[in-house]
PDB file of all heavy atoms in Angstrom:
ATOM      1  N   ASP O 113      91.813  72.039 219.029  1.00 63.00           N
ATOM      2  CA  ASP O 113      90.818  71.082 218.739  1.00 63.00           C
ATOM      3  C   ASP O 113      91.215  69.609 219.020  1.00 63.00           C
ATOM      4  O   ASP O 113      90.357  68.880 219.466  1.00 63.00           O
ATOM      5  CB  ASP O 113      90.298  71.309 217.290  1.00 63.00           C
ATOM      6  CG  ASP O 113      89.479  72.750 217.105  1.00 63.00           C
ATOM      7  OD1 ASP O 113      89.059  73.245 218.029  1.00 63.00           O
ATOM      8  OD2 ASP O 113      89.433  73.120 215.952  1.00 63.00           O
ATOM      9  N   SER O 114      92.356  69.383 218.564  1.00 55.00           N
ATOM     10  CA  SER O 114      92.775  68.092 218.600  1.00 55.00           C
ATOM     11  C   SER O 114      93.138  67.579 220.064  1.00 55.00           C
ATOM     12  O   SER O 114      92.985  66.425 220.453  1.00 55.00           O
ATOM     13  CB  SER O 114      94.166  67.813 217.856  1.00 55.00           C
ATOM     14  OG  SER O 114      95.229  68.505 218.497  1.00 55.00           O
ATOM     15  N   GLN O 115      93.245  68.544 220.952  1.00 51.00           N
ATOM     16  CA  GLN O 115      93.558  68.262 222.368  1.00 51.00           C
ATOM     17  C   GLN O 115      92.353  67.596 223.045  1.00 51.00           C
ATOM     18  O   GLN O 115      92.456  66.669 223.985  1.00 51.00           O
ATOM     19  CB  GLN O 115      93.887  69.476 223.252  1.00 51.00           C
ATOM     20  CG  GLN O 115      95.253  70.063 222.900  1.00 51.00           C
ATOM     21  CD  GLN O 115      95.469  71.344 223.496  1.00 51.00           C
ATOM     22  OE1 GLN O 115      94.906  71.605 224.621  1.00 51.00           O
ATOM     23  NE2 GLN O 115      96.382  72.089 223.039  1.00 51.00           N
ATOM     24  N   SER O 116      91.218  67.870 222.464  1.00 50.00           N
ATOM     25  CA  SER O 116      90.031  67.282 223.213  1.00 50.00           C
ATOM     26  C   SER O 116      89.574  65.960 222.475  1.00 50.00           C
ATOM     27  O   SER O 116      88.555  65.421 222.723  1.00 50.00           O
ATOM     28  CB  SER O 116      88.885  68.328 223.081  1.00 50.00           C
ATOM     29  OG  SER O 116      88.538  68.595 221.662  1.00 50.00           O
ATOM     30  N   GLN O 117      90.408  65.601 221.509  1.00 48.00           N
ATOM     31  CA  GLN O 117      89.986  64.353 220.758  1.00 48.00           C
ATOM     32  C   GLN O 117      91.136  63.318 220.887  1.00 48.00           C
ATOM     33  O   GLN O 117      91.669  62.815 219.843  1.00 48.00           O
ATOM     34  CB  GLN O 117      89.799  64.699 219.241  1.00 48.00           C
ATOM     35  CG  GLN O 117      88.653  65.626 219.029  1.00 48.00           C
ATOM     36  CD  GLN O 117      88.593  66.034 217.535  1.00 48.00           C
ATOM     37  OE1 GLN O 117      89.306  65.737 216.684  1.00 48.00           O
ATOM     38  NE2 GLN O 117      87.494  66.781 217.263  1.00 48.00           N
ATOM     39  N   THR O 118      91.510  63.068 222.155  1.00 41.00           N
ATOM     40  CA  THR O 118      92.605  62.070 222.309  1.00 41.00           C
ATOM     41  C   THR O 118      91.984  60.710 222.309  1.00 41.00           C
ATOM     42  O   THR O 118      90.833  60.450 222.621  1.00 41.00           O
ATOM     43  CB  THR O 118      93.205  62.344 223.691  1.00 41.00           C
ATOM     44  OG1 THR O 118      92.255  62.240 224.769  1.00 41.00           O
ATOM     45  CG2 THR O 118      93.877  63.697 223.735  1.00 41.00           C
ATOM     46  N   ARG O 119      92.792  59.723 221.997  1.00 39.00           N
ATOM     47  CA  ARG O 119      92.326  58.337 222.014  1.00 39.00           C
ATOM     48  C   ARG O 119      93.475  57.537 222.808  1.00 39.00           C
ATOM     49  O   ARG O 119      94.635  57.844 222.691  1.00 39.00           O
ATOM     50  CB  ARG O 119      92.215  57.712 220.542  1.00 39.00           C
ATOM     51  CG  ARG O 119      93.424  57.822 219.646  1.00 39.00           C
ATOM     52  CD  ARG O 119      93.065  57.455 218.296  1.00 39.00           C
ATOM     53  NE  ARG O 119      94.137  57.555 217.375  1.00 39.00           N
ATOM     54  CZ  ARG O 119      94.970  56.665 217.120  1.00 39.00           C
ATOM     55  NH1 ARG O 119      94.906  55.536 217.774  1.00 39.00           N
ATOM     56  NH2 ARG O 119      95.928  56.822 216.241  1.00 39.00           N
ATOM     57  N   ALA O 120      93.078  56.455 223.432  1.00 41.00           N
ATOM     58  CA  ALA O 120      94.079  55.693 224.284  1.00 41.00           C
ATOM     59  C   ALA O 120      94.812  54.684 223.545  1.00 41.00           C
ATOM     60  O   ALA O 120      94.241  54.029 222.700  1.00 41.00           O
ATOM     61  CB  ALA O 120      93.274  55.099 225.483  1.00 41.00           C
ATOM     62  N   SER O 121      96.052  54.507 223.715  1.00 43.00           N
ATOM     63  CA  SER O 121      96.862  53.458 223.223  1.00 43.00           C
ATOM     64  C   SER O 121      96.649  52.263 224.084  1.00 43.00           C
ATOM     65  O   SER O 121      95.976  52.225 225.065  1.00 43.00           O
ATOM     66  CB  SER O 121      98.387  53.908 223.329  1.00 43.00           C
ATOM     67  OG  SER O 121      98.801  53.828 224.662  1.00 43.00           O
ATOM     68  N   PRO O 122      97.127  51.024 223.637  1.00 42.00           N
ATOM     69  CA  PRO O 122      97.021  49.836 224.457  1.00 42.00           C
ATOM     70  C   PRO O 122      97.613  50.012 225.753  1.00 42.00           C
ATOM     71  O   PRO O 122      97.226  49.233 226.631  1.00 42.00           O
ATOM     72  CB  PRO O 122      97.890  48.791 223.572  1.00 42.00           C
ATOM     73  CG  PRO O 122      97.719  49.277 222.142  1.00 42.00           C
ATOM     74  CD  PRO O 122      97.747  50.903 222.333  1.00 42.00           C
ATOM     75  N   LEU O 123      98.521  50.846 225.905  1.00 42.00           N
ATOM     76  CA  LEU O 123      99.146  51.123 227.333  1.00 42.00           C
ATOM     77  C   LEU O 123      98.360  52.100 228.133  1.00 42.00           C
ATOM     78  O   LEU O 123      98.688  52.466 229.246  1.00 42.00           O
ATOM     79  CB  LEU O 123     100.555  51.602 227.161  1.00 42.00           C
ATOM     80  CG  LEU O 123     101.523  50.606 226.586  1.00 42.00           C
ATOM     81  CD1 LEU O 123     102.882  51.277 226.360  1.00 42.00           C
ATOM     82  CD2 LEU O 123     101.628  49.288 227.370  1.00 42.00           C
ATOM     83  N   GLY O 124      97.297  52.708 227.534  1.00 43.00           N
ATOM     84  CA  GLY O 124      96.500  53.734 228.184  1.00 43.00           C
ATOM     85  C   GLY O 124      97.132  55.071 228.080  1.00 43.00           C
ATOM     86  O   GLY O 124      96.847  55.978 228.777  1.00 43.00           O
ATOM     87  N   ILE O 125      98.111  55.193 227.211  1.00 42.00           N
ATOM     88  CA  ILE O 125      98.790  56.556 226.947  1.00 42.00           C
ATOM     89  C   ILE O 125      98.080  57.205 225.789  1.00 42.00           C
ATOM     90  O   ILE O 125      97.997  56.666 224.668  1.00 42.00           O
ATOM     91  CB  ILE O 125     100.282  56.356 226.576  1.00 42.00           C
ATOM     92  CG1 ILE O 125     100.962  55.607 227.787  1.00 42.00           C
ATOM     93  CG2 ILE O 125     100.912  57.613 226.263  1.00 42.00           C
ATOM     94  CD1 ILE O 125     102.348  55.147 227.460  1.00 42.00           C
ATOM     95  N   PRO O 126      97.679  58.551 226.011  1.00 41.00           N
ATOM     96  CA  PRO O 126      96.889  59.234 224.911  1.00 41.00           C
ATOM     97  C   PRO O 126      97.840  59.503 223.762  1.00 41.00           C
ATOM     98  O   PRO O 126      98.815  59.997 223.858  1.00 41.00           O
ATOM     99  CB  PRO O 126      96.437  60.484 225.711  1.00 41.00           C
ATOM    100  CG  PRO O 126      97.442  60.644 226.762  1.00 41.00           C
ATOM    101  CD  PRO O 126      97.879  59.378 227.200  1.00 41.00           C
ATOM    102  N   PHE O 127      97.108  59.448 222.631  1.00 37.00           N
ATOM    103  CA  PHE O 127      97.782  59.932 221.362  1.00 37.00           C
ATOM    104  C   PHE O 127      97.251  61.410 221.231  1.00 37.00           C
ATOM    105  O   PHE O 127      96.352  61.802 221.846  1.00 37.00           O
ATOM    106  CB  PHE O 127      97.228  59.049 220.163  1.00 37.00           C
ATOM    107  CG  PHE O 127      97.891  57.709 220.100  1.00 37.00           C
ATOM    108  CD1 PHE O 127      97.351  56.655 220.731  1.00 37.00           C
ATOM    109  CD2 PHE O 127      99.242  57.621 219.619  1.00 37.00           C
ATOM    110  CE1 PHE O 127      98.057  55.421 220.723  1.00 37.00           C
ATOM    111  CE2 PHE O 127      99.880  56.342 219.586  1.00 37.00           C
ATOM    112  CZ  PHE O 127      99.170  55.278 220.210  1.00 37.00           C
ATOM    113  N   GLY O 128      97.904  62.108 220.277  1.00 36.00           N
ATOM    114  CA  GLY O 128      97.520  63.545 220.115  1.00 36.00           C
ATOM    115  C   GLY O 128      97.720  64.319 221.336  1.00 36.00           C
ATOM    116  O   GLY O 128      96.975  65.215 221.554  1.00 36.00           O
ATOM    117  N   HIS O 129      98.855  63.976 221.956  1.00 38.00           N
ATOM    118  CA  HIS O 129      99.226  64.661 223.224  1.00 38.00           C
ATOM    119  C   HIS O 129      99.421  66.123 223.170  1.00 38.00           C
ATOM    120  O   HIS O 129     100.018  66.618 222.160  1.00 38.00           O
ATOM    121  CB  HIS O 129     100.379  63.989 223.775  1.00 38.00           C
ATOM    122  CG  HIS O 129     100.908  64.531 225.097  1.00 38.00           C
ATOM    123  ND1 HIS O 129     100.292  64.526 226.207  1.00 38.00           N
ATOM    124  CD2 HIS O 129     102.106  65.190 225.233  1.00 38.00           C
ATOM    125  CE1 HIS O 129     100.975  65.138 227.027  1.00 38.00           C
ATOM    126  NE2 HIS O 129     102.168  65.613 226.524  1.00 38.00           N
ATOM    127  N   SER O 130      98.932  66.897 224.010  1.00 38.00           N
ATOM    128  CA  SER O 130      99.150  68.346 223.935  1.00 38.00           C
ATOM    129  C   SER O 130     100.589  68.716 224.334  1.00 38.00           C
ATOM    130  O   SER O 130     101.045  68.103 225.236  1.00 38.00           O
ATOM    131  CB  SER O 130      98.226  69.067 224.904  1.00 38.00           C
ATOM    132  OG  SER O 130      98.632  70.444 225.181  1.00 38.00           O
ATOM    133  N   PRO O 131     101.236  69.624 223.568  1.00 40.00           N
ATOM    134  CA  PRO O 131     102.537  69.943 223.945  1.00 40.00           C
ATOM    135  C   PRO O 131     102.714  70.689 225.219  1.00 40.00           C
ATOM    136  O   PRO O 131     103.766  70.998 225.753  1.00 40.00           O
ATOM    137  CB  PRO O 131     103.015  70.803 222.791  1.00 40.00           C
ATOM    138  CG  PRO O 131     101.781  71.411 222.195  1.00 40.00           C
ATOM    139  CD  PRO O 131     100.680  70.301 222.359  1.00 40.00           C
ATOM    140  N   GLU O 132     101.515  70.955 225.842  1.00 40.00           N
ATOM    141  CA  GLU O 132     101.540  71.766 227.110  1.00 40.00           C
ATOM    142  C   GLU O 132     101.454  70.933 228.351  1.00 40.00           C
ATOM    143  O   GLU O 132     101.512  71.382 229.439  1.00 40.00           O
ATOM    144  CB  GLU O 132     100.295  72.727 227.156  1.00 40.00           C
ATOM    145  CG  GLU O 132     100.473  73.780 226.008  1.00 40.00           C
ATOM    146  CD  GLU O 132      99.300  74.556 225.793  1.00 40.00           C
ATOM    147  OE1 GLU O 132      98.359  74.329 226.615  1.00 40.00           O
ATOM    148  OE2 GLU O 132      99.289  75.509 224.909  1.00 40.00           O
ATOM    149  N   VAL O 133     101.516  69.537 228.188  1.00 41.00           N
ATOM    150  CA  VAL O 133     101.645  68.674 229.400  1.00 41.00           C
ATOM    151  C   VAL O 133     102.936  68.841 230.119  1.00 41.00           C
ATOM    152  O   VAL O 133     103.972  68.916 229.325  1.00 41.00           O
ATOM    153  CB  VAL O 133     101.289  67.172 228.879  1.00 41.00           C
ATOM    154  CG1 VAL O 133     101.612  66.326 230.072  1.00 41.00           C
ATOM    155  CG2 VAL O 133      99.891  67.061 228.494  1.00 41.00           C
ATOM    156  N   PRO O 134     103.055  69.019 231.383  1.00 44.00           N
ATOM    157  CA  PRO O 134     104.302  69.219 232.028  1.00 44.00           C
ATOM    158  C   PRO O 134     105.294  68.102 231.696  1.00 44.00           C
ATOM    159  O   PRO O 134     105.046  66.928 231.420  1.00 44.00           O
ATOM    160  CB  PRO O 134     103.915  69.076 233.508  1.00 44.00           C
ATOM    161  CG  PRO O 134     102.398  69.516 233.516  1.00 44.00           C
ATOM    162  CD  PRO O 134     101.941  68.922 232.269  1.00 44.00           C
ATOM    163  N   LEU O 135     106.650  68.485 231.787  1.00 45.00           N
ATOM    164  CA  LEU O 135     107.665  67.644 231.443  1.00 45.00           C
ATOM    165  C   LEU O 135     107.719  66.401 232.294  1.00 45.00           C
ATOM    166  O   LEU O 135     108.062  65.315 231.809  1.00 45.00           O
ATOM    167  CB  LEU O 135     109.053  68.388 231.595  1.00 45.00           C
ATOM    168  CG  LEU O 135     109.334  69.360 230.478  1.00 45.00           C
ATOM    169  CD1 LEU O 135     110.657  70.121 230.764  1.00 45.00           C
ATOM    170  CD2 LEU O 135     109.368  68.833 229.037  1.00 45.00           C
ATOM    171  N   ASN O 136     107.354  66.414 233.534  1.00 51.00           N
ATOM    172  CA  ASN O 136     107.345  65.224 234.405  1.00 51.00           C
ATOM    173  C   ASN O 136     106.412  64.236 233.899  1.00 51.00           C
ATOM    174  O   ASN O 136     106.596  63.030 234.102  1.00 51.00           O
ATOM    175  CB  ASN O 136     107.193  65.574 235.894  1.00 51.00           C
ATOM    176  CG  ASN O 136     105.809  66.385 236.057  1.00 51.00           C
ATOM    177  OD1 ASN O 136     105.125  66.740 235.220  1.00 51.00           O
ATOM    178  ND2 ASN O 136     105.468  66.354 237.264  1.00 51.00           N
ATOM    179  N   ASP O 137     105.252  64.594 233.324  1.00 59.00           N
ATOM    180  CA  ASP O 137     104.293  63.665 232.744  1.00 59.00           C
ATOM    181  C   ASP O 137     104.930  62.990 231.565  1.00 59.00           C
ATOM    182  O   ASP O 137     104.721  61.799 231.422  1.00 59.00           O
ATOM    183  CB  ASP O 137     103.084  64.346 232.368  1.00 59.00           C
ATOM    184  CG  ASP O 137     102.122  64.629 233.624  1.00 59.00           C
ATOM    185  OD1 ASP O 137     102.564  64.229 234.742  1.00 59.00           O
ATOM    186  OD2 ASP O 137     101.036  65.112 233.369  1.00 59.00           O
ATOM    187  N   ARG O 138     105.705  63.712 230.772  1.00 65.00           N
ATOM    188  CA  ARG O 138     106.384  63.091 229.636  1.00 65.00           C
ATOM    189  C   ARG O 138     107.393  62.041 230.048  1.00 65.00           C
ATOM    190  O   ARG O 138     107.558  60.917 229.553  1.00 65.00           O
ATOM    191  CB  ARG O 138     107.054  64.116 228.788  1.00 65.00           C
ATOM    192  CG  ARG O 138     105.954  65.085 228.209  1.00 65.00           C
ATOM    193  CD  ARG O 138     106.807  66.161 227.407  1.00 65.00           C
ATOM    194  NE  ARG O 138     105.788  67.343 227.263  1.00 65.00           N
ATOM    195  CZ  ARG O 138     106.336  68.577 227.075  1.00 65.00           C
ATOM    196  NH1 ARG O 138     107.547  68.807 227.021  1.00 65.00           N
ATOM    197  NH2 ARG O 138     105.439  69.582 226.874  1.00 65.00           N
ATOM    198  N   ASP O 139     108.092  62.348 231.226  1.00 71.00           N
ATOM    199  CA  ASP O 139     108.949  61.440 231.739  1.00 71.00           C
ATOM    200  C   ASP O 139     108.366  60.153 232.222  1.00 71.00           C
ATOM    201  O   ASP O 139     108.862  59.088 232.066  1.00 71.00           O
ATOM    202  CB  ASP O 139     109.826  62.067 232.963  1.00 71.00           C
ATOM    203  CG  ASP O 139     110.677  63.250 232.430  1.00 71.00           C
ATOM    204  OD1 ASP O 139     111.113  63.284 231.193  1.00 71.00           O
ATOM    205  OD2 ASP O 139     111.023  64.112 233.352  1.00 71.00           O
ATOM    206  N   ARG O 140     107.231  60.329 232.849  1.00 75.00           N
ATOM    207  CA  ARG O 140     106.438  59.238 233.230  1.00 75.00           C
ATOM    208  C   ARG O 140     106.004  58.272 232.105  1.00 75.00           C
ATOM    209  O   ARG O 140     106.116  57.015 232.191  1.00 75.00           O
ATOM    210  CB  ARG O 140     105.163  59.609 234.002  1.00 75.00           C
ATOM    211  CG  ARG O 140     104.329  58.584 234.482  1.00 75.00           C
ATOM    212  CD  ARG O 140     102.962  58.999 235.199  1.00 75.00           C
ATOM    213  NE  ARG O 140     102.251  60.036 234.221  1.00 75.00           N
ATOM    214  CZ  ARG O 140     101.609  59.512 233.337  1.00 75.00           C
ATOM    215  NH1 ARG O 140     101.420  58.268 233.000  1.00 75.00           N
ATOM    216  NH2 ARG O 140     100.909  60.527 232.445  1.00 75.00           N
ATOM    217  N   VAL O 141     105.632  58.976 231.039  1.00 80.00           N
ATOM    218  CA  VAL O 141     105.220  58.140 229.811  1.00 80.00           C
ATOM    219  C   VAL O 141     106.545  57.440 229.293  1.00 80.00           C
ATOM    220  O   VAL O 141     106.309  56.226 229.094  1.00 80.00           O
ATOM    221  CB  VAL O 141     104.615  59.095 228.691  1.00 80.00           C
ATOM    222  CG1 VAL O 141     104.456  58.331 227.422  1.00 80.00           C
ATOM    223  CG2 VAL O 141     103.364  59.607 229.245  1.00 80.00           C
TER     224      VAL O 141
END
Side-chain angles (χ1 to χ4, degrees):
D113 290 341
S114 68
Q115 290 175 24
S116 60
Q117 298 175 354
T118 59
R119 57 189 178 90
S121 73
L123 295 174
I125 299 171
F127 290 93
H129 175 66
S130 165
E132 296 170 357
V133 170
L135 288 176
N136 59 344
D137 279 3
R138 298 176 200 155
D139 293 341
R140 176 185 55 78
V141 169

